[in-house]
């Protein structure tokens, strides 16, 4: 989802945005100011992730020595014995002139002349909230995270 902004975030708003992302995240990486790679547990957004306790995700396992070609192939996929991070993976990033992803911002807004009429302002910047998973809970978490980011940034309604 893209959250349109009427102006660039102030330094204080950017600090609050960062603090929100750090506070919600079980994993946090800041690639540049305002660009976050995060895992957010659904419970921190107010919803319950109802996966089974024994839910396991397939992952590649190393090949074992002295096996046939068929055994080697079947050994590539297994289950991760480590407990997974139940956080939902997201990329959340600020874009626009002077903050990064300027070309992406310009491309997304180049052929949308009606945006100003609909929103009542011409967006100068935006925040993109992208889920990196596609389950029902991810859609709910994306909507809730977007609403939370909107509260912190004082933004307009998101484009879906």
């Amino acid at each position: 989802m893209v959250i349109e902004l009427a102006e660039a975030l102030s330094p204080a708003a950017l600090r609050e945005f960062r603090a929100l992302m750090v506070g919600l995240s079980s994993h946090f990486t800041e690639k540049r100011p305002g660009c976050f790679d995060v895992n957010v547990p659904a419970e921190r957004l107010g919803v319950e992730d109802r996966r089974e306790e024994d839910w396991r995700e397939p992952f590649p396992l190393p090949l074992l020595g002295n096996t046939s070609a068929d055994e080697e192939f079947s050994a590539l996929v297994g289950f991760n014995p480590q407990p997974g991070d139940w956080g939902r993976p997201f990329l959340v990033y600020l874009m626009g002139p002077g903050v990064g992803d300027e070309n992406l911002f310009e491309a997304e807004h180049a052929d949308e002349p009606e945006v100003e009429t609909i929103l009542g302002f011409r967006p100068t910047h935006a925040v993109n909230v992208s889920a990196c998973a596609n389950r029902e809970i991810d859609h709910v978490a994306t909507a809730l995270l977007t609403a939370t980011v909107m509260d912190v940034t004082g933004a307009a309604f998101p484009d879906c």
Side-chain angles (χ1 to χ4, degrees):
M1 297 182 122
V2 177
I3 304 166
E4 305 293 356
L5 301 173
E7 59 189 16
L9 291 183
S10 69
L14 186 57
R15 283 191 301 275
E16 191 174 350
F17 178 33
R18 184 182 192 282
L20 170 74
M21 299 313 301
V22 169
L24 287 175
S25 304
S26 60
H27 160 81
F28 174 87
T29 303
E30 187 169 17
K31 298 178 179 224
R32 62 169 167 75
C35 182
F36 311 108
D37 177 354
V38 295
N39 284 8
V40 178
E43 292 78 10
R44 292 186 187 173
L45 296 168
V47 293
E48 183 180 345
D49 187 348
R50 296 179 184 218
R51 283 185 281 185
E52 298 294 326
E53 286 298 320
D54 67 348
W55 178 84
R56 299 178 294 174
E57 236 182 79
F59 89 46
L61 293 176
L63 292 175
L64 303 174
N66 297 331
T67 58
S68 71
D70 288 339
E71 290 171 326
E72 286 178 5
F73 181 73
S74 64
L76 285 174
V77 178
F79 289 96
N80 185 346
Q82 307 274 330
D85 179 357
W86 282 49
R88 318 304 325 150
F90 291 95
L91 290 176
V92 181
Y93 57 93
L94 184 60
M95 60 180 164
V99 295
D101 292 319
E102 291 91 349
N103 293 339
L104 178 60
F105 178 82
E106 289 173 12
E108 285 186 356
H109 292 82
D111 56 350
E112 296 180 345
E114 70 282 354
V115 169
E116 188 170 355
T117 304
I118 294 168
L119 295 178
F121 65 89
R122 185 79 184 147
T124 64
H125 293 77
V127 177
N128 189 55
V129 179
S130 296
C132 299
N134 194 26
R135 294 180 58 230
E136 290 174 7
I137 189 69
D138 301 304
H139 299 289
V140 172
T142 301
L144 293 170
L145 181 57
T146 301
T148 304
V149 170
M150 288 174 67
D151 285 344
V152 169
T153 61
F157 294 102
D159 293 332
C160 299

